[in-house]
């Protein structure tokens, strides 16, 4: 099936929020990506919607009322970010209390919940929310630039309709918040590919596999620096193929965190735009209802390029697209080549030189075989 029905959720306000000067997370990247999507005339080929803002009640499907209530009230001025009735909800510089923090959360979460509803209604084959993918947020705590876990909320919505949901996370960081939320269930399989070893958030070893009924349903693929377009598919594709065979998901959520790209400000992997998008292409061709979400990504121009290209992949128009960028308001950001590309660099791939990738792959396949599929 090469033609698919795509829903694209975008709130034009999202790019205006700022985590503060010097903070790596830049919501503005969604605006730059959107402008490329418009300039490439993708808008006329998909159902474009401004998502309804998520209500506090909707957020409480995962988060505690106290935490949601705190986010609703907190402002940079009140500066009560460290304690609220004796509880610490925001800790350190990663999660500042910026202007409009709660509205930003309602947009991100609203998009992922609406995407899930759209799939479940049968109206779309793929739903996209680049403002989502905030995988570190916990039930009662913000973490790693994430306040409300839109992914968990979207998956909970999908579980109302679909018996089994597969969550795949190609952000350079471990998808700890999503893993933790579904650690004890066999209805959600989580699979995160991430840099492991002296890297935030420090979790996600292959020994962490789930608990109780969920044992074996949390899959962690720890990586070393420098994985590239040549080696990444040799782990991603066989692992996902095995998951599809053993778990047989009825819907898939793919978190497309773009800090796994070469040259990311926080990441240390070496994927090109095409290598990153190959994951989207591989999942799309399985013909299973799919949600595409954003996530990390700190070299803003490359995030915009990649999410625009992945929107084209969802539409099945990646081979028609002009690799010379069209004119947009942000055209000068894309110099000196002005191309729809993210190139790799010459860093060494630490995963292949000592055979560690082969070991990780084998161990993952053994874990999945133990599920008896
Ligand atoms: O390393 C840490 C914490 C802060 N230390 C006490 C340990 N935080 C990281 C957080 C990375 C979050 C990634 C989010 C995502 O997975 C999903 C959206 O991509 C961190 C880093 C870093 N280089 O890892 N925080 C910051 N840099 C930071 C820098 C400047 C200002 C504020 C935060
Ligand atoms: Ca990940
Ligand atoms: Zn990340």
């Amino acid at each position: 099936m090469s033609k698919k029905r795509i829903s694209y959720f975008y709130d034009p306000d999202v790019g205006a929020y700022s985590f503060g000067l010097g903070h790596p997370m830049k919501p503005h990247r969604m605006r730059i990506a959107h402008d490329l999507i418009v300039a490439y005339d993708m808008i006329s080929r998909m159902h474009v919607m401004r998502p309804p803002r998520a209500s506090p009640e909707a957020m409480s499907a995962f988060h505690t009322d106290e935490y949601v209530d705190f986010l609703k009230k907190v402002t940079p001025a009140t500066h009560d970010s460290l304690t609220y009735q004796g509880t610490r909800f925001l800790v350190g510089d990663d999660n500042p209390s910026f202007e409009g923090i709660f509205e930003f959360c309602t947009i991100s979460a609203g998009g992922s919940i609406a995407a899930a509803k759209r799939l479940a209604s049968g109206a779309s084959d793929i739903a996209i929310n680049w403002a989502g993918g905030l995988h570190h947020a916990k039930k009662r705590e913000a973490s790693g630039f994430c306040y409300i876990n839109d992914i968990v909320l979207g998956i909970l919505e999908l579980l109302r309709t679909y018996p089994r949901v597969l969550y795949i996370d190609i952000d350079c960081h471990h998808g700890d918040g999503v893993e933790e939320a579904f650690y004890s269930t066999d209805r959600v399989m989580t699979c995160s590919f991430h840099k492991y070893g002296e890297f935030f958030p420090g979790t996600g070893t292959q020994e962490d596999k789930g608990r109780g009924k969920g044992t074996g349903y949390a899959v962690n693929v720890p990586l070393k620096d420098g994985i590239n377009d040549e080696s990444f598919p040799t782990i991603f594709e066989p692992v996902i193929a095995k998951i599809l065979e053993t778990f047989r998901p009825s819907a898939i959520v793919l978190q497309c965190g773009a800090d796994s790209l070469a040259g990311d400000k926080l990441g240390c992997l070496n994927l090109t735009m095409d290598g990153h998008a190959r994951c989207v292409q591989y999942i799309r061709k399985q013909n299973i209802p799919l949600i595409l979400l954003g996530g990390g990504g700190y070299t803003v121009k490359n995030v915009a390029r990649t999410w625009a290209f992945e929107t084209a992949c969802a539409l099945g128009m990646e081979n028609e697209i002009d690799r010379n960028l069209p004119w947009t308001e942000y055209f000068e950001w894309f110099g000196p080549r002005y191309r729809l590309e993210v190139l790799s660099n010459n860093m060494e791939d630490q995963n292949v030189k000592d055979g560690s990738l082969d070991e990780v792959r084998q161990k993952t396949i053994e874990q999945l075989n133990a599920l008896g599929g």
Side-chain angles (χ1 to χ4, degrees):
M1 210 209 316
S2 76
K3 253 231 140 2
K4 290 184 188 276
R5 297 164 303 159
I6 315 299
S7 290
Y8 170 75
F9 291 91
Y10 178 71
D11 189 315
D13 289 344
V14 74
Y17 296 94
S18 169
F19 281 56
L21 213 66
H23 197 287
M25 178 56 101
K26 311 266 183 220
H28 186 57
R29 65 206 173 124
M30 267 83 79
R31 168 110 209 261
I32 306 172
H34 178 77
D35 282 5
L36 287 176
I37 289 165
V38 171
Y40 273 119
D41 193 27
M42 296 186 216
I43 293 295
S44 63
R45 304 175 193 225
M46 54 193 184
H47 191 89
V48 179
M49 277 171 291
R50 184 179 190 146
R53 305 280 172 102
S55 66
E57 293 70 37
M59 293 172 176
S60 300
F62 173 55
H63 299 281
T64 64
D65 291 341
E66 292 73 20
Y67 176 55
V68 174
D69 202 39
F70 164 81
L71 284 179
K72 224 163 64 184
K73 287 181 184 150
V74 73
T75 69
T78 53
H79 216 64
D80 50 2
S81 55
L82 292 181
T83 61
Y84 179 75
Q85 294 171 359
T87 316
R88 286 155 67 87
F89 292 122
L90 303 179
V91 185
D93 296 335
D94 283 355
N95 294 89
S97 51
F98 60 88
E99 199 62 60
I101 179 175
F102 188 69
E103 282 165 50
F104 174 78
C105 294
T106 66
I107 293 172
S108 166
S112 298
I113 295 168
K117 287 182 176 165
R118 183 82 184 163
L119 279 199
S121 76
S124 284
D125 304 306
I126 304 180
I128 302 173
N129 175 31
W130 296 129
L134 303 181
H135 58 180
H136 298 304
K138 307 288 160 38
K139 191 182 173 78
R140 58 183 87 241
E141 189 181 71
S143 169
F145 319 160
C146 307
Y147 301 82
I148 290 291
N149 201 314
D150 63 287
I151 310 169
V152 171
L153 297 174
I155 293 174
L156 289 172
E157 187 63 45
L158 291 173
L159 288 173
R160 292 157 64 107
T161 302
Y162 298 106
R164 289 176 305 284
V165 176
L166 170 61
Y167 172 68
I168 306 168
D169 185 318
I170 60 168
D171 188 291
C172 179
H173 299 94
H174 178 225
D176 57 350
V178 186
E179 177 181 283
E180 188 180 301
F182 299 111
Y183 209 58
S184 309
T185 179
D186 56 3
R187 287 188 64 198
V188 178
M189 180 172 278
T190 60
C191 177
S192 176
F193 299 81
H194 47 266
K195 153 81 179 176
Y196 181 80
E198 289 171 50
F199 201 67
F200 185 86
T203 49
T205 74
Q206 289 195 283
E207 317 312 317
D208 297 335
K209 298 180 195 180
R211 181 191 308 124
K213 266 173 112 176
T215 302
Y217 291 82
V219 179
N220 282 302
V221 184
L223 303 169
K224 297 181 181 171
D225 287 13
I227 201 157
N228 57 35
D229 289 6
E230 199 185 325
S231 53
F232 192 67
T234 74
I235 186 119
F236 183 83
E237 293 178 9
V239 164
I240 299 301
K242 191 77 193 170
I243 288 177
L244 296 173
E245 180 191 321
T246 54
F247 183 61
R248 293 180 303 104
S250 27
I252 301 179
V253 177
L254 176 59
Q255 195 266 23
C256 302
D259 47 9
S260 39
L261 291 168
D264 187 80
K265 286 206 174 93
L266 300 194
C268 49
L269 308 182
N270 196 15
L271 294 178
T272 69
M273 179 186 78
D274 290 275
H276 197 271
R278 182 167 162 170
C279 302
V280 175
Q281 293 168 315
Y282 186 82
I283 302 301
R284 181 189 187 271
K285 73 178 182 207
Q286 309 303 329
N287 297 324
I288 296 170
L290 173 63
I291 296 182
L292 297 180
L293 301 175
Y298 306 100
T299 301
V300 164
K301 59 190 176 179
N302 291 342
V303 180
R305 285 175 162 117
T306 300
W307 290 347
F309 184 65
E310 289 174 346
T311 306
C313 293
L315 287 163
M317 61 179 277
E318 64 268 45
N319 296 324
E320 301 164 33
I321 208 158
D322 189 347
R323 297 288 182 133
N324 292 314
L325 287 165
W327 189 88
T328 59
E329 203 182 318
Y330 303 99
F331 190 69
E332 68 272 23
W333 289 45
F334 300 111
R337 290 166 60 87
Y338 305 97
R339 300 264 303 163
L340 185 62
E341 66 187 8
V342 177
L343 303 175
S344 58
N345 56 46
N346 63 0
M347 77 194 289
E348 193 179 9
D349 184 347
Q350 305 285 340
N351 297 276
V352 292
K353 63 170 194 180
D354 58 354
S356 68
L357 196 63
D358 296 330
E359 284 170 32
V360 170
R361 184 191 312 103
Q362 196 188 329
K363 215 164 162 186
T364 311
I365 300 293
E366 279 167 18
Q367 175 183 336
L368 294 165
N369 276 332
L371 293 175

